[in-house]
Amino acid sequence: MRVGVPAQGEGLEASPSTIFGRSPYYVLVDSDTMAAETVPNPATGASGGAGVQASQWLIGQGIEAVLAANVGPNASAVLQAAGIQVYALEGDTVQAAVEALAKGRLELLAGPTVA
């Protein structure tokens, strides 16, 4: 499964970001092989709607799931409309978060985590 994780830095050892729409980076990970690609978030400098823009961009990258600490209502709606599963992020690194997903330890979120 191709997973998008907001991150503070690059690679699997990066710390996950608690901010979704304005996260500095996204690490895109194949959860089967753990192959990872880090991409700067194109929505970081958006004057508004960063969560929606980031969601749309991630969808365009072919992700099937997002691991996030916080997701706002608009970003959540965009991801849900596209059939993207959003899981509560756990772990000190991107790798730990993706491994927790693979082991079935992450909670599937039914909606936004913040207003």
Side-chain angles (χ1 to χ4, degrees), residues 61-87:
Q61 300 305 302
I63 57 127
E64 301 166 80
V66 167
L67 311 184
N70 294 298
V71 179
N74 295 334
S76 177
V78 169
L79 293 168
Q80 284 185 347
I84 306 299
Q85 297 177 321
V86 181
Y87 292 89

Side-chain angles (χ1 to χ4, degrees), residues 14-69:
S15 297
S17 175
T18 58
I19 301 167
F20 177 74
R22 296 190 190 278
S23 171
Y25 298 96
Y26 289 102
V27 181
L28 310 178
V29 184
D30 181 321
S31 63
D32 297 325
T33 66
M34 295 304 284
E37 170 189 6
T38 303
V39 184
N41 177 2
T44 301
S47 61
V52 169
Q53 290 178 35
S55 297
Q56 291 170 334
W57 180 82
L58 285 167
I59 291 163
Q61 300 305 302
I63 57 127
E64 301 166 80
V66 167
L67 311 184

